[in-house]
Amino acid sequence: MDYRSDIRNIAIVAHVDHGKTTLVDAMLKQSRVFRENQEVGELIMDSNPLEREKGITIMAKNTAVVYRGVKINIIDTPGHADFSGEVERVISMADGCLLLVDSIEGPMPQTRFVLRHALQGGLKIIVVINKVDRPDSRIPEIIRLTQDLFLELATSAEQLEFEVLYASAREGYAVSSPDIEGGDISPLFQCILDKVPPPQVAIGPFQMMVSNLDYDSHKGRIAIGRIWRGAVAPRDPVVSIGADGSVSNYQVGEVLTYLGLKRLNAASAAAGDIVAVTGLEKVKIGDTISSPEQPEALPRIEIGEPTVEMTLGVNTSPFSGREGRFGTTRQLRERLNRELETNLSLRVQDTDRADTFLLKGRGELHLAVLIETMRREGYEFEVSKPEAITRVIDGQLMEPVEMLTIDTREEYIGVLTEMLSHRQAQLTNMRSDAGGSVRLEFRITTKGLLGFRGAFLTATRGEGIMNTLYLGYEPWQGEIISTRSGVLVASEQGTAITYGLNNAQGRGLTFIEPGTPVYEGMIVGLNSRQQDIPVNVCKEKKKTNVRSSTSDIAVKLVPAVKMSLEETLDFINADELVEVTPRNIRLRKKLLTYSQRLRHARAERPVT
Ligand SMILES: Nc1nc2c(ncn2[C@@H]2O[C@H](COP(=O)(O)OP(=O)(O)OP(=O)(O)O)[C@@H](O)[C@H]2O)c(=O)[nH]1
Ligand SMILES: [Mg+2]
């Protein structure tokens, strides 16, 4: 074994929003990878449009900077629990990691998840207490909580001795002690050089693990990963070894290395570096690329199992085919298969209906992001309510269980525990401080959590943060009865008008504006009773020759309740669907006509 003292490979991991991507901004800007006066903005690595809109990282990405002649390959990772698969996928490329901990929030559920993975992977960890510029920082307490977390998760005594830096990613500095005035980010670079071990390299024929894929219209498929042994150059003959051990022959096109936001052509690259190679048309994530002389597979990447599923099928609404560019079974299948190549924690299965697929993911957001991406690409389709994935283990029905952590104000404890008791949650821990803030921890089934986020935000009037951590499978705890009331269902096809909507508002809340085209069976509102109510929102006022009063002319409608895609997934019941097109998101009953629904309800009713 040898070392590459000119390289360090690090991953940046943390709970959501603790400042990973902002820290990468500071590292990029201060290592002068940009031209003078070049406008680069903020959250540079969050390059995907949905990432920019949501303000969160969804996909792990590579970049690199050079500090004092040493190249630091940096992997930015997502902190949201639904994208945990991304962390699992890329962590093996790194020898060290920066564990960011927010100086106010402290260690959170996902901090635990990523730290556990990093420790298991044997990574050297540098703790970065971030956002120390904030006046309400609780540094000594956060350090203590972080130490507790290490005590709980460390697999060896050595791992308990970790470096700590204090940083403001946003203001671009890091210091070794909270008493030191902030300057720039160089203490962080220096710490990485000093503490993260340089990559070990094996001597021998070329061997690389593919951890990511990219596409380029000119270059074709690009395989990204770390070289473990030997070296590679353009036009080298190589083989790729697939999951089933099958071997394919290729010739390398280009070899690219990272610098800032660019990928540079290299004459060759050697073990220890993270590179991108072209020319391997069918290679997959997890495959090993190696020299034909010694084709040996590296251990494959292990990704946690999905916990939530929903169906995605061809749009069967009366408006099908009007708004999307792609929507046939074949087009949907092709698109989903393409997604499987990079979205490792996603699963797609056929169902007993040829035009419907079963999608399995790591959470509602994981699936919602895929749906939103497809809709923007011009696809239309329908999806069902997300449900927790049950399994039968040793003859027993099991379901996923999660830890739910809530940070909020004391006054909401009552309403939250009441809501959660209906969702099969058990309070496991409660801590409050003198200022009236409280942290609650619950053990809850994944099915109990589905749809809770919206209710939580309403109940706490935005004064709460909730986070979840997947714990494992436990025996089935029984059905949860839906507490949602019935919906208002359009009884006729046509265009909604003010008069009809005003009538509907007599029965409940409405979801659509006048002028919206509707079809029979489309959900247009929510009522306060248990049953669904059919309403004719296209109904016009009977024409008479006499105007009875001026109030008839200017009916004032209550503004429509608008839901985001994620909210609609939370909202619908098992007998309902969300119709997704590039232009609209509609809710509908699975059975469109009243008589169909009635017949179905009669057939379902137990015989007495
Ligand atoms: N005050 C302050 N705010 C910061 C600092 N670092 C990041 N932020 C803010 O925290 C928010 C989240 O920052 P991101 O860099 O997107 O966090 P992240 O960890 O990459 O988030 P995910 O990738 O979604 O997990 C942004 O609004 C940042 O401006 C800091 O040092 N000080
Ligand atoms: Mg980020």
Side-chain angles (χ1 to χ4, degrees):
M1 281 286 175
D2 221 337
Y3 292 95
R4 282 285 297 269
S5 54
D6 60 335
I7 293 182
R8 299 291 185 281
N9 295 320
I10 59 157
I12 307 196
V13 298
H15 186 75
V16 67
D17 269 355
H18 283 194
K20 298 173 289 295
T21 308
T22 308
L23 187 66
V24 179
D25 281 354
M27 294 168 88
L28 287 170
K29 285 176 184 167
Q30 293 186 32
S31 64
R32 300 199 209 104
V33 292
F34 302 113
R35 273 177 285 109
E36 290 281 325
N37 308 326
Q38 186 178 350
E39 273 295 327
V40 286
E42 281 172 13
L43 301 176
I44 309 166
M45 296 291 282
D46 286 345
S47 47
N48 164 297
L50 264 183
E51 292 183 321
R52 299 209 75 86
E53 259 169 55
K54 292 187 181 288
I56 59 168
T57 304
I58 294 171
M59 282 165 290
K61 294 178 214 72
N62 286 83
T63 182
V65 300
V66 175
Y67 182 75
R68 299 206 164 155
V70 177
K71 175 168 158 189
I72 305 173
N73 283 309
I74 303 169
I75 310 156
D76 185 24
T77 68
H80 194 289
D82 277 31
F83 308 113
S84 300
E86 290 290 294
V87 181
E88 294 165 354
R89 176 164 72 76
V90 296
I91 209 146
S92 66
M93 281 192 271
D95 301 295
C97 79
L98 306 182
L99 176 75
L100 266 64
V101 183
D102 183 300
S103 68
I104 296 167
E105 278 189 2
M108 295 292 281
Q110 196 66 6
T111 314
R112 175 189 300 267
F113 175 88
V114 293
L115 179 60
R116 196 196 299 131
H117 267 269
L119 290 171
Q120 278 167 0
L123 267 59
K124 173 72 195 175
I125 291 158
I126 298 172
V127 171
V128 179
I129 307 290
N130 188 34
K131 310 195 188 183
V132 295
D133 57 284
R134 291 181 53 175
D136 37 357
S137 295
R138 308 182 291 153
I139 296 174
E141 193 188 342
I142 301 302
I143 294 282
R144 198 165 38 74
L145 292 170
T146 307
Q147 279 164 343
D148 290 351
L149 195 61
F150 271 83
L151 271 174
E152 190 191 321
L153 299 175
T155 55
S156 73
E158 265 165 54
Q159 289 181 330
L160 296 176
E161 282 161 39
F162 51 89
E163 296 302 311
V164 183
L165 290 178
Y166 304 85
S168 169
R170 189 189 270 172
E171 290 176 14
Y173 65 80
V175 288
S176 56
S177 152
D179 321 319
I180 303 176
E181 183 92 8
D184 60 18
I185 208 83
S186 53
L188 176 65
F189 285 140
Q190 194 58 50
C191 185
I192 294 169
L193 261 48
D194 295 343
K195 301 296 174 188
V196 174
Q200 276 195 357
V201 301
I203 316 285
F206 172 63
Q207 190 187 35
M208 158 178 170
M209 159 62 75
V210 180
S211 296
N212 202 359
L213 288 179
D214 200 356
Y215 296 87
D216 180 292
S217 47
H218 300 293
K219 297 185 165 103
R221 182 171 295 215
I222 304 174
I224 299 159
R226 172 166 171 174
I227 307 178
W228 289 93
R229 191 176 67 194
V232 65
R235 289 180 299 285
D236 276 358
V238 290
V239 296
S240 78
I241 309 163
D244 54 356
S246 63
V247 173
S248 318
N249 288 287
Y250 292 105
Q251 185 182 32
V252 172
E254 294 174 29
V255 174
L256 305 155
T257 56
Y258 286 88
L259 186 67
L261 304 184
K262 291 198 211 99
R263 286 199 282 237
L264 308 175
N265 276 82
S268 77
D273 209 350
I274 295 174
V275 298
V277 295
T278 68
L280 286 80
E281 215 178 299
K282 295 226 168 78
V283 72
K284 295 215 161 62
I285 295 178
D287 291 358
T288 301
I289 309 177
S290 85
S291 150
E293 277 168 57
Q294 206 173 318
E296 289 165 343
L298 290 157
R300 289 192 82 86
I301 301 169
E302 279 180 41
I303 299 281
E305 288 295 313
T307 51
V308 175
E309 64 186 13
M310 63 162 55
T311 63
L312 183 150
V314 168
N315 186 8
T316 57
S317 104
F319 292 173
S320 153
R322 289 193 191 175
E323 294 167 359
R325 276 197 291 150
F326 318 108
T328 64
T329 307
R330 189 177 56 80
Q331 286 165 333
L332 294 177
R333 183 191 297 279
E334 274 175 12
R335 178 63 185 83
L336 292 172
N337 281 341
R338 186 144 44 85
E339 187 68 22
L340 286 174
E341 301 206 319
T342 50
N343 200 335
L344 289 204
S345 33
L346 184 76
R347 306 275 184 280
V348 178
Q349 286 171 5
D350 285 328
T351 64
D352 51 10
R353 286 186 52 173
D355 62 355
T356 306
F357 304 94
L358 187 65
L359 302 191
K360 299 185 174 189
R362 284 288 267 274
E364 280 171 301
L365 186 62
H366 182 210
L367 295 174
V369 163
L370 170 61
I371 291 168
E372 183 63 36
T373 307
M374 285 176 65
R375 139 180 148 88
R376 289 177 190 210
E377 290 168 357
Y379 288 84
E380 75 167 69
F381 46 87
E382 62 192 30
V383 294
S384 70
K385 178 184 177 58
E387 311 222 40
I389 301 176
T390 55
R391 289 193 217 156
V392 177
I393 303 171
D394 294 334
Q396 191 172 21
L397 184 62
M398 309 281 276
E399 65 175 321
V401 175
E402 303 184 42
M403 179 169 95
L404 167 68
T405 310
I406 290 176
D407 288 282
T408 187
R409 312 271 320 150
E410 259 167 8
E411 54 260 42
Y412 302 116
I413 297 177
V415 54
L416 288 174
T417 37
E418 159 87 31
M419 278 162 68
L420 283 162
S421 68
H422 296 300
R423 292 174 171 266
Q424 301 177 333
Q426 290 160 309
L427 184 67
T428 51
N429 205 350
M430 178 159 102
R431 267 201 313 270
S432 47
D433 70 12
S437 299
V438 59
R439 173 172 289 190
L440 306 164
E441 281 173 17
F442 295 87
R443 224 182 150 74
I444 182 170
T445 57
T446 299
K447 74 172 182 295
L449 260 178
L450 290 171
F452 176 66
R453 189 173 294 270
F456 169 78
L457 291 175
T458 318
T460 56
R461 302 195 179 85
E463 286 189 294
I465 309 173
M466 61 170 268
N467 284 286
T468 58
L469 180 69
Y470 167 69
L471 294 175
Y473 270 76
E474 288 186 4
W476 171 253
Q477 297 191 17
E479 289 294 344
I480 295 179
I481 295 131
S482 166
T483 48
R484 199 202 71 188
S485 43
V487 287
L488 302 177
V489 187
S491 59
E492 269 178 42
Q493 183 152 331
T495 302
I497 57 173
T498 306
Y499 183 77
L501 280 171
N502 188 45
N503 278 344
Q505 288 190 342
R507 321 294 292 264
L509 301 167
T510 53
F511 298 162
I512 56 168
E513 306 283 359
T516 308
V518 299
Y519 51 80
E520 180 177 9
M522 183 167 143
I523 297 171
V524 296
L526 181 67
N527 75 70
S528 52
R529 300 219 213 125
Q530 206 58 50
Q531 284 84 22
D532 294 345
I533 303 179
V535 290
N536 183 4
V537 288
C538 312
K539 189 175 173 181
E540 295 187 43
K541 187 177 180 344
K542 283 226 177 60
K543 297 250 177 2
T544 58
N545 292 330
V546 198
R547 275 205 183 130
S548 53
S549 82
T550 44
S551 66
D552 281 0
I553 304 166
V555 180
K556 262 262 190 307
L557 282 180
V558 181
V561 177
K562 294 277 176 206
M563 284 188 266
S564 68
L565 174 64
E566 280 152 73
E567 285 166 341
T568 62
L569 296 177
D570 267 0
F571 178 84
I572 56 168
N573 276 340
D575 63 340
E576 295 161 357
L577 294 168
V578 182
E579 174 187 357
V580 183
T581 82
R583 271 188 269 158
N584 287 293
I585 294 169
R586 300 188 190 91
L587 308 181
R588 55 167 282 193
K589 300 304 287 186
K590 272 187 184 162
L591 300 174
L592 292 177
T593 68
Y594 182 68
S595 57
Q596 279 174 328
R597 293 196 294 277
L598 203 61
R599 229 177 301 135
H600 183 78
R602 286 205 183 117
E604 290 268 287
R605 199 174 302 152
V607 188
T608 45

